Amino acid sequence: MDCLHSTLDRSDTIALNASMVGLSLSEVSDAQATGVGQLQGCCTADPSGFRRGRGGDEDQIETEALQATAKRDTCGFAEKESRETGLVADCGKWKNDVMDERLWGNLPNHLLDNIMAWLPFWSLLRFKSVCRRWNRIADCRMFLDAYRRVPCQDVLFMMFADHLKHKVVAAYNPALDKWHPIPLSHLLPSEPPNYFFILAAAGGLLCVEDMGWPCRSLIVSNLVTRSYRKLPPMIDMKSPYVVGMVAEAGRDAYKILVAQDGETLTSQYYDSKSNTWKMSGSFNRRVALVAGTVFLQGFFYCLTFGPVGLVAYDVNDGSWHDTQITLPPSVTCPHVIEHKGQLMMVAGLEEFSILKSVGIWQLDLSNKTLVEIQRMPDHLFQKLFIGSRGNFFCVGHNGLICFNDNHSPHILMFDIVKQRWWWLPPSPLNHTLKRQSVLRVQFLGFSIEPRLDAVV
């Protein structure tokens, strides 16, 4: 099989898998020795590094690992759903199921590629740890072609704590309802810069700014494959900053939008295909800041401040447009998100400069109107913003909205589809900073889709 060169060696893969699925390295070693912890003593390590079954047949270990992982993932999903719905999930039916190893142990490679491509990301990481053959398959061109055709099923909400000094990063996984510590070696080159900012995310990639003096530079990285690219210098601008990032459908190219505000809004963009920066259109209106960017149907939608408004940047022709949508004067901390092809806004509402509530609006671009669809329940609002100054941050992805206030230890999540609110488990960042005797400073960064096929 024609394979791509892997950016991870065997030990790096094991460490990454352990970090992502929340296992210690000793647990991963045990899992490898027993077929992901479910194959009760049926395999041992041979000198070549391939694990063998009872009769020296590698197909048997792969079949049993496939069955064990399917059982655990399905039961785990059913148990999670039962907690949410109040129904009891019965996974006992799996106990006596037997998969015929003569069939499942000899699947053609193209079928195995397609099966693995549709696995949730976290199950795929477990599969990669079963044996060397499966680890290699995940790096092969035929698998990546199949994987690239599958829509993203997973998301991570990344949070940073005092990252200029202590570089502490963690990510919340809604599918598993748990936090993962993220080593900086998975975000940045092997020797991370002393000062950096993560500026944007798209299609499984992160855009990071190296703040090192005297040469500031941008780096694009894939935290799963640990690959990265240092971008060429921008076209000279007075005070440029990254507005947004978008990945193309095939995840083999991306663009980064940079703007300079002031009396006139000017911009340039980076195209990974040509590895160059190009100047684009300008907007003849005074703008103090452009932030909160969402990409939707060929446009970057951006919030502007000074004055507050919503503008759109056409990626195809590089032009700026005013959406002519008027935001309520009492709005504070607005954020724009996308949900099922609809543009939405999350914002607070103030009375006499005091935050009183948080709402979610749907923006109708055709009629230039906002329609409120949800208001944060008062008891949740009081808990989240107790002792707060009224400034909050939120990030949305695939119908999930995560709320955080820098002065609160609580983090709140809302599911638009299920109309469900819940509190996240305690963030590991608080413990890390307390151990380092640092005042707690944490805030949400970005949502990111973990992808093996995102090309830097």
Side-chain angles (χ1 to χ4, degrees), residues 146-166:
Y147 181 73
R148 194 169 287 116
R149 294 191 292 269
V150 176
C152 183
Q153 307 176 67
D154 303 276
V155 62
L156 289 173
F157 290 89
M158 301 190 68
M159 178 173 283
F160 314 97
D162 199 15
H163 64 294
L164 278 178
K165 183 177 181 181
H166 297 277

Side-chain angles (χ1 to χ4, degrees), residues 27-42:
E27 288 174 321
V28 170
S29 299
D30 293 341
Q32 287 185 305
T34 59
V36 201
Q38 298 289 329
L39 310 177
Q40 301 172 353
C42 69

Side-chain angles (χ1 to χ4, degrees), residues 7-9 11-17 19-20 158 166-170 181-193 196 198 206 208 219-229 456:
T7 57
L8 292 172
D9 61 23
S11 61
D12 286 338
T13 302
I14 294 173
L16 175 59
N17 292 2
S19 173
M20 288 297 188
M158 301 190 68
H166 297 277
K167 306 181 181 67
V168 182
V169 183
I182 304 294
L184 287 182
S185 59
H186 293 287
L187 303 178
L188 299 162
S190 57
E191 296 184 3
F196 67 92
I198 298 181
L206 290 171
V208 184
I219 298 170
V220 172
S221 66
N222 183 327
L223 68 86
V224 177
T225 63
R226 294 180 61 185
S227 55
Y228 68 93
R229 175 194 289 194
V456 299

Side-chain angles (χ1 to χ4, degrees), residues 230-242:
K230 187 173 182 179
L231 305 189
M234 299 180 196
I235 300 171
D236 188 41
M237 296 177 79
K238 185 177 180 181
S239 299
Y241 53 89
V242 172

Side-chain angles (χ1 to χ4, degrees), residues 193-212:
N194 291 327
Y195 299 100
F196 67 92
F197 279 112
I198 298 181
L199 305 175
L205 300 176
L206 290 171
C207 178
V208 184
E209 183 176 17
D210 178 357
M211 302 289 291

Side-chain angles (χ1 to χ4, degrees), residues 233-238 240 255-260 264-271 274 276-283 313-320:
M234 299 180 196
I235 300 171
D236 188 41
M237 296 177 79
K238 185 177 180 181
K255 291 182 179 180
I256 298 173
L257 177 63
V258 170
Q260 173 186 299
T264 300
L265 179 64
T266 58
S267 58
Q268 60 179 294
Y269 69 91
Y270 171 79
D271 188 336
S274 61
T276 57
W277 292 91
K278 297 179 181 179
M279 293 298 299
S280 57
S282 59
F283 191 48
Y313 175 83
D314 190 331
V315 173
N316 294 322
D317 62 18
S319 59
W320 290 90

